Amino acid sequence: MKDQKPSLNVSSNAHDLSKQIIQKIEDISKDFHIVSLNRQIEACKGLFTESPIIDVAILGQFKAGKSSFINSIIGKKILPVGVIPVTTVITRIQYGGQEDAVVRFFDGKSERIGLDKIEEYISEAKNTANQKNVEVVDIELPSLEQYPGLRLVDTPGLGSIFKYNTEVSEEWLPEVGAAIIAISSDRPLSENDLNLIRELMDFTPKVVILLTKADMLSDEQQREVVRFFKDSLRREFNQDFQILLYSTIKDTEIYKRWIDKLLSSLSYNRDSEFKGILQHKVRSIARQCISYLDIALKTSVSADAEREELKKTILDEKVNYELIHSELSLIARENKLHTREIIASYLDEKHRAKLIQRLTARLVEDMSRWGGNLWRLTRQYEEWLMENMTTEMDHISRADYKQFFGTLKKAHNTISRSVELFRNLLDRNIEKVLGIKPNSVNWVVDVSEPAHPDVAFTKTFDFHFDLLWFLFPMFIFRKVFERHFLKQIPRVTDIHLSRLAYQWEVRINKAIDEIKDQALEYVRNELTTIDSLLSQAGGQTDRIRAIRDEIAEKIEGLGS
Ligand SMILES: Nc1nc2c(ncn2[C@@H]2O[C@H](COP(=O)(O)OP(=O)(O)OP(=O)(O)O)[C@@H](O)[C@H]2O)c(=O)[nH]1
Ligand SMILES: [Mg+2]
């Protein structure tokens, strides 16, 4: 594949300086055990080794229309699209003299494939949870000639039940060059979208909002939606975002002109844009690093005798890991205890009676067509139950599963509040003792919906008497058995509703534990970082000050 390095003459100094700063921050982080910065450092280093192409990432919730948008821009239906979550692998598309596609695997191997085979590697259906271990698929197309130096990146949708997809995109965020956030115009701005924008602002100065499926709204509604997004985003972030509408179905050529303007300008100015993006990332990491060093510096300045006292005051009993551990575990446990009860009583109130009524009526009708002796009758009844119960449970599970999330949402809110409180207490202690306001790493929790259970039915009842079928002449006893079958319906319904509740309980409680574990990891990392900064700072005042000033000076050198 051809390497498409845009010339970096204009920015080579800044490029070298950025590299030096990241190297320095990496050394400092190792030295002072600032583990919180590791992930961002790794991603930034990746940008120096790769050819400096601007990755224009299309990000957003699943089914927002990301892949359809890229297909429309490149003028070719290359990426698979669909009504259920589709994209499962990062796919990068850039200009090339001829059509080409290369699959790169996590083990370092790669394989050239035909464009018609792409779906085999990047779709959830053909490569479920990325069993094929694909790291990325790189595509080259002649049709992108007007955008040299840009690479359009299709990403797996966030927030679907396929946790893997969300993780892939979240992990990839630090590598984003410019970001286009796809949001379906017929959906309101969600908390998830706001979180995504907030998180992205650490990684890129260039975030554009793309309102997809504009054809679903009238002209007046479109204006209203754009106004709503503009106002909401300004209120939330205190800055204006470019908001573009798009439809792959109606007036596409008109919408495309705006996208062309955006991409052409990015491509034409790619040297300065790349420089801006890189510097944004470097500055963001450097700011966080300086903030951590400030803590070490202040501690070091204090006399040795005071240091232990300072440490005790900053890491006081309120921000103690054991305490937070038991608090978060208690929150998780309390919520988990109620998961089953909430689901079971919802199913009982909303579905039980109607389900029994429906199944009974259906059984009366279907049973009239069955024939044979008791043994045959019982088998038909079992098959009937198996088929009907599975369909009913699957239907309830898919239609109503969001109603089961009560405890998951509550646990998420309470744990988020606890972590925020921890952060505030720790920051307040640092400020009180050292007189500095920390610019620390935020906690962003990644909750994706639990996977749907497999509600396939297994036998849950026995009729021992059917072994005696030869004893019962059907013309006399048939009605008796029919009544018996009908009488079973409430019991079998209860068993299945309770099993469905159990299956969701297990999944939801697992998700609650995952949130708790993520929160605890964050708390542990922050405490380890602060603790080690406070512990080793002794007698290093001059050294820390020199390091801190060096970074601050280097960021100055990067310009604004
Ligand atoms: N009405 C309308 N539907 C659209 C438009 N763009 C996409 N869709 C539909 O939206 C659905 C999702 O499209 P995709 O392109 O697969 O969405 P995605 O964001 O790539 O989804 P994931 O890969 O699962 O995250 C499909 O059924 C598309 O047909 C549009 O402009 N208008
Ligand atoms: Mg997609």
Side-chain angles (χ1 to χ4, degrees):
M1 226 177 238
K2 211 157 24 83
D3 216 359
Q4 264 203 311
K5 286 188 184 164
S7 74
L8 276 183
N9 294 338
V10 194
S11 51
S12 60
N13 283 344
H15 190 268
D16 287 347
L17 186 56
S18 300
K19 218 167 167 171
Q20 278 175 28
I21 297 177
I22 290 298
Q23 185 55 54
K24 186 95 213 160
I25 293 177
E26 190 181 13
D27 295 343
I28 295 168
S29 298
K30 276 201 193 108
D31 200 357
F32 289 89
H33 302 283
I34 309 179
V35 280
S36 317
L37 294 178
N38 289 352
R39 185 170 161 256
Q40 290 182 67
I41 293 172
E42 276 314 306
C44 229
K45 277 168 67 189
L47 283 188
F48 295 123
T49 52
E50 266 186 36
S51 53
I53 280 175
I54 297 183
D55 277 326
V56 183
I58 323 299
L59 292 150
Q61 302 301 302
F62 69 105
K63 302 282 56 71
K66 301 177 289 298
S67 306
S68 306
F69 166 72
I70 297 183
N71 281 341
S72 173
I73 295 298
I74 59 182
K76 225 174 161 75
K77 287 215 163 95
I78 284 187
L79 302 172
V81 299
V83 284
I84 50 165
V86 172
T87 311
T88 200
V89 165
I90 302 276
T91 312
R92 304 184 291 199
I93 311 171
Q94 61 175 322
Y95 166 70
Q98 56 193 38
E99 291 186 350
D100 195 10
V102 173
V103 183
R104 302 185 196 284
F105 297 91
F106 278 112
D107 63 6
K109 295 197 182 106
S110 61
E111 187 183 331
R112 177 157 278 120
I113 56 162
L115 285 188
D116 55 333
K117 294 281 179 298
I118 287 171
E119 194 172 342
E120 307 284 326
Y121 297 92
I122 64 176
S123 81
E124 179 61 47
K126 306 238 163 106
N127 182 13
T128 307
N130 195 13
Q131 282 161 344
K132 294 182 182 162
N133 263 324
V134 181
E135 186 177 8
V136 67
V137 173
D138 277 320
I139 299 173
E140 287 192 354
L141 295 176
S143 63
L144 285 179
E145 190 170 10
Q146 73 263 45
Y147 309 128
L150 296 193
R151 190 157 55 179
L152 299 179
V153 185
D154 191 20
T155 60
L158 302 168
S160 81
I161 53 163
F162 299 110
K163 198 169 161 47
Y164 176 81
N165 293 355
T166 301
E167 279 169 6
V168 169
S169 293
E170 283 276 345
E171 267 298 303
W172 196 77
L173 284 189
E175 299 187 31
V176 165
I180 296 182
I181 301 187
I183 304 174
S184 185
S185 333
D186 62 332
R187 288 185 42 192
L189 181 61
S190 71
E191 193 58 36
N192 287 341
D193 293 322
L194 290 176
N195 283 339
L196 175 62
I197 298 173
R198 194 166 297 121
E199 211 178 339
L200 272 168
M201 284 165 74
D202 267 347
F203 307 122
T204 176
K206 194 104 199 157
V207 178
V208 175
I209 312 293
L210 184 77
L211 298 176
T212 58
K213 310 186 191 178
D215 51 279
M216 295 171 86
L217 305 178
S218 68
D219 289 355
E220 176 52 32
Q221 287 170 328
Q222 286 184 7
R223 277 192 291 278
E224 237 175 83
V225 167
V226 171
R227 208 166 34 238
F228 166 75
F229 269 76
K230 249 195 168 58
D231 292 347
S232 312
L233 292 174
R234 189 179 302 136
R235 234 191 344 265
E236 193 70 29
F237 298 105
N238 214 8
Q239 79 177 61
D240 282 324
F241 287 86
Q242 188 175 8
I243 299 176
L244 297 174
L245 287 160
Y246 202 84
S247 167
T248 58
I249 290 177
K250 201 172 144 228
D251 299 332
T252 307
E253 289 311 311
I254 301 174
Y255 296 121
K256 218 185 244 180
R257 269 183 238 147
W258 288 98
I259 305 297
D260 179 53
K261 227 167 139 180
L262 170 75
L263 295 179
S264 298
S265 144
L266 265 176
S267 169
Y268 186 76
N269 303 311
R270 63 185 179 276
D271 276 0
S272 58
E273 293 283 359
F274 187 82
K275 182 178 149 199
I277 292 164
L278 196 60
Q279 289 177 11
H280 183 93
K281 287 179 195 290
V282 173
R283 230 179 273 123
S284 172
I285 304 179
R287 258 199 315 268
Q288 292 167 8
C289 182
I290 287 182
S291 167
Y292 286 122
L293 284 176
D294 277 340
I295 297 169
L297 188 60
K298 287 277 178 173
T299 332
S300 176
V301 169
S302 324
D304 270 346
E306 284 173 40
R307 200 164 297 123
E308 266 314 297
E309 254 338 279
L310 278 186
K311 196 168 147 185
K312 260 196 223 137
T313 323
I314 291 183
L315 300 175
D316 67 4
E317 69 291 344
K318 290 201 195 93
V319 294
N320 172 282
Y321 180 77
E322 295 309 321
L323 185 84
I324 293 164
H325 185 275
S326 34
E327 182 185 318
L328 295 191
S329 303
L330 189 73
I331 296 171
R333 198 165 47 241
E334 274 294 303
N335 281 290
K336 282 180 353 192
L337 274 180
H338 294 112
T339 306
R340 178 70 170 274
E341 172 193 320
I342 287 179
I343 303 174
S345 63
Y346 176 83
L347 289 175
D348 190 44
E349 279 163 29
K350 184 88 195 298
H351 289 288
R352 184 177 181 273
K354 279 193 214 141
L355 188 57
I356 293 175
Q357 213 176 28
R358 200 159 59 235
L359 287 168
T360 307
R362 204 180 300 152
L363 181 60
V364 169
E365 197 189 324
D366 292 352
M367 205 161 41
S368 64
R369 289 192 289 273
W370 300 345
N373 57 32
L374 175 58
W375 187 85
R376 287 238 333 117
L377 220 55
T378 312
R379 293 290 89 78
Q380 290 174 85
Y381 176 58
E382 281 176 359
E383 271 165 33
W384 183 93
L385 265 187
M386 187 173 327
E387 197 185 309
N388 280 276
M389 276 298 175
T390 306
T391 316
E392 292 285 357
M393 289 306 128
D394 193 55
H395 180 74
I396 294 176
S397 180
R398 281 179 198 287
D400 277 12
Y401 70 99
K402 291 215 161 128
Q403 310 289 337
F404 308 156
F405 287 175
T407 50
L408 179 58
K409 284 189 193 146
K410 226 171 108 210
H412 176 230
N413 288 342
T414 327
I415 289 176
S416 297
R417 267 204 307 278
S418 286
V419 173
E420 209 180 304
L421 187 68
F422 157 77
R423 182 74 258 173
N424 290 342
L425 283 171
L426 186 59
D427 286 357
R428 214 178 54 202
N429 284 354
I430 293 172
E431 198 180 352
K432 197 169 66 194
V433 176
L434 303 176
I436 42 178
K437 251 188 169 24
N439 184 357
S440 33
V441 176
N442 275 326
W443 183 59
V444 186
V445 67
D446 164 26
V447 217
S448 31
E449 281 178 19
H452 276 267
D454 177 8
V455 296
F457 182 82
T458 47
K459 261 199 252 174
T460 52
F461 49 91
D462 353 79
F463 299 97
H464 297 298
F465 56 74
D466 73 344
L467 297 173
L468 309 174
W469 58 270
F470 50 85
L471 294 178
F472 297 104
M474 271 299 113
F475 63 93
I476 300 173
F477 286 106
R478 175 156 178 141
K479 280 280 161 237
V480 175
F481 290 116
E482 284 189 357
R483 265 203 306 281
H484 182 77
F485 290 158
L486 284 167
K487 252 173 54 194
Q488 298 290 325
I489 294 280
R491 188 174 71 90
V492 182
T493 302
D494 285 342
I495 291 172
H496 282 83
L497 286 177
S498 145
R499 184 186 295 172
L500 183 65
Y502 169 71
Q503 285 175 313
W504 273 106
E505 179 196 15
V506 171
R507 283 164 170 73
I508 286 170
N509 285 353
K510 196 162 149 260
I512 292 178
D513 275 336
E514 276 169 19
I515 296 176
K516 180 199 72 184
D517 291 344
Q518 278 186 44
L520 283 174
E521 196 187 330
Y522 169 81
V523 170
R524 210 169 30 239
N525 274 350
E526 284 304 298
L527 288 175
T528 310
T529 300
I530 302 291
D531 190 348
S532 74
L533 287 174
L534 294 174
S535 314
Q536 351 153 37
Q540 300 195 58
T541 311
D542 291 344
R543 189 175 145 247
I544 299 169
R545 184 172 289 136
I547 295 172
R548 187 212 176 277
D549 292 349
E550 190 185 341
I551 295 182
E553 201 176 300
K554 283 198 160 115
I555 310 181
E556 285 279 308
L558 275 179
S560 55

